Amino acid sequence: MPRSLEIRTDSFPIAGTFTISRGAKTSAEVIACIVTENGVSGWGECVPYRRYGETMESVAAQIEAAKPLVEAGISLADLQRAMPPGAARNAVDCALWDLRAKQSGTSVAATLGLSEPRPLTTAYTISLGEPDVMAEQARANAGRALLKVKVGTGDDESRIRAVRAAAPDAAIILDANEGWPEATLEHHLRVSAEAGVALVEQPLPAGKDEMLAVIDHPLLICADESVHHAGDLASLRDRYDAINIKLDKTGGLTEALVMKREAQRLGFKIMLGCMVGTSLAMAPAVLLAQDVEFVDLDGPLLLARDREPGLRYTASLVWPPEASLWG
C-alpha cells in the first residue's frame, strides 16, 4: 500500500491550571501526525505555541502542505529542508522516525547507537502564583528530586524564598519565561543563588538579552525562547551558560540531535525540555535526554489524562518508551 499521512487534533485537560508569566491554560491542545505504509504506522505529536506565532490551524495547515512530499517518501534529511523548524515539522519528523523503527524492527535508540536507555530524573513544574500558593505546591512535591518553578514578575524574591523553605532538599530550576525586568535582574539572580537555585531559565526577552553579557552569573543562566535550532547557538555564548532543547522548537528529533552535538561542542550545559503535551510528545525527548544535565519532561504529569499506553513515571523518574508508544 502507498504511504499515507493523517492529521489528528486533540485536547487533553490539565490537572488544575498551568500558569506562567504570559498567562494560564487548562488544557493541552496537541496535533498528532500518523504516517502509514504497508499497514505499519508511525506516530508523532506536536504542541503549537502562540509565543512563536503558531496556532492549531496554522500548524495543521503546514503538515497538510507537506503531505504530498511525505506520501511520496521524503527522507528525514530532505524533510529538514522542506519544512521550517517548529511544531509542524516535529510531528512529521517524529512520525517518520517511529515508522522507520516499526518497519525495521530496530529501535530508534539502537539506530542512533545509544546504549540501553535508562530512567531519568525529571523536573516537576510548580505554576506561577502567589507565594503562599506556590509554597503549598512545593511542599506537596518536596520529596521530588527536581522542581521547576515558574516565576517572571517584577518581585519574585518572596516566591523564591517561599518555595525554597517549603522544599528544602529539592534541587530547583527557575523559569522566568522572559518576565524579569532588567531593573530587578541582578537582584533576582543574587536571591536565586542565595536560595541554592541550580539554574535560571530565560530571564529576559529573546532579542533583548544583551545585559546577560555584561553582568555576573552567580548561577547558570539558560536560553529557552532565545534558542530554537543549531544555527542560534554561536551567537549566545557570551550570554548563556546552558540551552533548553525542545523538539517543538527544533522541528523534531533530527535537528535536535544536531543541536545537541553542537551545543556540547560549544560547552553549553543542556536541558531537555518540553511543552505541555502527552507521553507521545515526550517519548523521543527521553532518548535525547540520556546524557544531559537537566531533564524537564513532566508534561504528562501535569495532565488529568494521558494517551494509552503512556510513559511510565515513578516519583521523579521517567522511563524510556515502550515500542507500543513510540520508537
Side-chain angles (χ1 to χ4, degrees), residues 118 120-121 243-245 256 260-261 263-264 268-273 285-297:
R118 67 190 192 283
L120 301 171
T121 298
I243 62 153
N244 189 336
I245 299 176
K260 178 182 174 182
R261 287 193 294 268
Q264 289 172 329
F268 287 105
K269 306 290 186 185
I270 296 175
M271 176 190 294
L272 216 301
V286 172
L287 301 186
L288 195 67
Q290 287 295 307
D291 58 351
V292 305
E293 286 80 10
F294 300 94
V295 178
D296 177 29
L297 298 176

Side-chain angles (χ1 to χ4, degrees), residues 14 21 25 33 41 51 74 93 102 108 113 123 131 133 149 151 169 191 196 233 236 262 267 279 287-288 293 299 310:
I14 290 172
S21 61
K25 63 179 184 178
C33 176
S41 296
R51 169 63 181 82
I74 192 170
D93 182 85
K102 288 181 167 64
V108 174
V133 175
V149 180
V151 290
D169 299 323
V191 170
L233 293 170
L236 302 178
E262 179 64 4
S279 285
L287 301 186
L288 195 67
E293 286 80 10

Side-chain angles (χ1 to χ4, degrees), residues 38-54:
N38 297 322
V40 179
S41 296
W43 287 64
E45 180 184 293
C46 69
V47 184
Y49 197 39
R50 287 188 178 276
R51 169 63 181 82
Y52 304 137
E54 297 175 336

